Amino acid sequence: MLARYDYLVTGGAGFIGSHLCERLIAEGKSVCVLDDLSTGHLSNIQGLLQQESFHFIEGSVLSVETVNDCVNKCSEVIHLAAAVGVDNVINKPVETIETNVNGTENILKAARNGNKKVFIASTSEVYGKGWKVPFKEDGDIVLGPTSRNRWSYACSKALDEFLALAYNHSYGLPVVICRFFNTVGPRQSGRYGMVLPRFINQALTGKPVTVFGNGTQTRCFSLVSEVVDCVLALMDTPKAVGRVVNVGSTEEITILELARRVREISGSSSEIIIVPYEEAYPAGFEDMQRRVPDVSRLMDLIGIRPEADTATIIRKVIEYGIPEGAR
Ligand code: NAD
């Protein structure tokens, strides 16, 4: 069957997906999106829905028939659809595991039929409780026990990586796998536990900015437009096939400092409150203290990496504002 679209983007109505689709359409590519709108929203792709080269299908990556149909229509697949966000992972563990594991399996099986290149979105969560920062793609991973379902997200994404690499090794399927570190920017929703939109929303509405844990845990935040640059460059780089690649900024910031900067840049007088994990999450919640990517593989492959500094990113998100439905 002749492909009608250049790309299938699963999860294309989501945060990263909508930015990626906008970029592809701006570059003259045609795009088909498959999204069940569970955490994504049509408002994210409002500007694209009328475009002739853009097609939206509301459906799930869990439907084999839908996935086969969508993959058949496209030349390459960018698979972003997943159950995401700490809140979802903790409160809906079955959906998280099934969506992330079975959804990816469906995509890989369908792609194998037409030998289509597939991008798989993985996550820095895969490094789990590893303490040897910066994290290298081939370093050991240290996950918590299966009795704490917080680790099911990391484990489901690690299984996605194993499966994608197995399809590459066993069947020669061209796959590119990225481990995204905290990706942020305009349109990200704070509803499912994402820290930056939540802080900005709290600061802009004069509510207390709530820092979970003791605030000394660190993260590295990348701007979504730069992450999109990296994804597309990696998809165009033959040497990236069959590789797992960290995509993230290396600027490390504590969550307490992030809260302070949000308050300062937004000009808010909100107080900053420390909320221990025991109060913020169900019993037994565990977090990782530091998460910093080693980006040497990314640089070797494409020569670019996310570089925007945290203050610039905060300004951009504040400028855009947090839409009502995304709070
Ligand atoms: P998002 O929630 O905005 O995007 C996920 C999209 O997938 C949503 O539009 C949602 O409706 C859709 N979706 C969920 N289940 C689906 C299903 N069964 N069928 C079809 N669509 C479904 O989140 P995001 O931040 O844009 O994440 C995109 C990808 O990047 C995910 O795979 C996520 O695991 C990964 N990732 C994101 C980050 C980050 O910091 N944003 C970090 C690491 C990894």
Side-chain angles (χ1 to χ4, degrees):
M1 186 193 199
L2 205 59
R4 282 163 43 200
Y5 299 95
D6 295 314
Y7 292 92
L8 168 66
V9 180
T10 72
F15 162 57
I16 299 176
S18 60
H19 285 274
L20 189 94
C21 290
E22 274 176 2
R23 179 73 59 81
L24 288 170
I25 295 291
E27 287 177 1
K29 303 288 197 298
S30 53
V31 176
C32 175
V33 160
L34 172 64
D35 198 302
D36 70 353
L37 302 179
S38 50
T39 54
H41 208 277
L42 282 182
S43 60
N44 288 340
I45 48 171
Q46 204 58 53
L48 299 174
L49 288 168
Q50 309 307 325
Q51 306 260 358
E52 225 167 79
S53 50
F54 184 83
H55 185 56
F56 174 74
I57 294 172
E58 184 173 345
S60 175
V61 289
L62 292 172
S63 159
V64 173
E65 204 185 338
T66 308
V67 166
N68 285 343
D69 188 45
C70 289
V71 171
N72 277 341
K73 287 186 178 126
C74 303
S75 304
E76 297 190 0
V77 181
I78 300 185
H79 177 46
L80 303 173
V84 302
V86 181
D87 294 355
N88 271 337
V89 172
I90 289 178
N91 299 322
K92 297 181 182 169
V94 175
E95 284 91 331
T96 300
I97 298 167
E98 288 185 349
T99 302
N100 297 357
V101 176
N102 302 348
T104 301
E105 183 189 9
N106 291 342
I107 290 289
L108 289 167
K109 275 191 176 150
R112 187 195 167 200
N113 283 335
N115 198 37
K116 303 200 170 161
K117 195 177 215 181
V118 185
F119 175 90
I120 299 284
S122 186
T123 169
S124 60
E125 288 269 329
V126 162
Y127 291 105
K129 297 194 272 190
W131 57 90
K132 275 193 201 155
V133 293
F135 292 136
K136 280 182 185 292
E137 293 88 343
D138 292 330
D140 288 341
I141 56 181
V142 187
L143 294 183
T146 50
S147 53
R148 306 213 163 148
N149 64 20
R150 187 239 193 281
W151 299 110
S152 66
Y153 175 66
C155 203
S156 65
K157 288 285 189 172
L159 192 55
D160 285 353
E161 293 190 13
F162 275 124
L163 195 61
L165 290 173
Y167 268 75
N168 176 253
H169 294 153
S170 303
Y171 308 131
L173 185 74
V175 300
V176 177
I177 302 163
C178 278
R179 289 183 183 159
F180 293 142
F181 284 62
N182 291 61
T183 303
V184 294
R187 278 191 216 133
Q188 187 176 35
S189 170
R191 275 179 300 173
Y192 311 102
M194 311 306 189
V195 64
L196 184 63
R198 187 169 59 76
F199 281 179
I200 291 179
N201 188 37
Q202 289 171 326
L204 292 180
T205 54
K207 294 184 188 134
V209 176
T210 46
V211 172
F212 299 160
N214 61 16
T216 61
Q217 70 275 28
T218 69
R219 296 292 182 268
C220 298
F221 293 92
S222 332
L223 187 60
V224 62
S225 55
E226 295 187 325
V227 169
V228 166
D229 291 339
C230 294
V231 171
L232 295 179
L234 285 165
M235 279 296 268
D236 279 345
T237 303
K239 279 188 179 162
V241 168
R243 310 299 302 276
V244 177
V245 189
N246 287 335
V247 173
S249 156
T250 50
E251 185 195 336
E252 196 178 5
I253 181 170
T254 68
I255 296 300
L256 184 57
E257 181 56 24
L258 181 75
R260 289 194 185 118
R261 284 206 205 158
V262 165
R263 191 175 58 173
E264 185 192 315
I265 294 171
S266 63
S268 165
S269 51
S270 290
E271 58 176 328
I272 295 175
I273 297 180
I274 300 282
V275 181
Y277 285 136
E278 305 84 77
E279 285 173 35
Y281 296 111
F285 179 80
E286 294 184 310
D287 206 6
M288 50 283 280
Q289 187 60 18
R290 296 176 71 192
R291 233 190 277 172
V292 186
D294 180 310
V295 289
S296 37
R297 181 174 294 177
L298 181 69
M299 290 301 285
D300 283 350
L301 286 168
I302 58 172
I304 55 165
R305 62 192 175 97
E307 282 180 327
D309 59 87
T310 312
T312 304
I313 294 175
I314 295 171
R315 265 185 223 106
K316 279 188 192 286
V317 180
I318 290 175
E319 235 169 70
Y320 181 84
I322 309 282
E324 190 81 37
R327 287 177 185 164

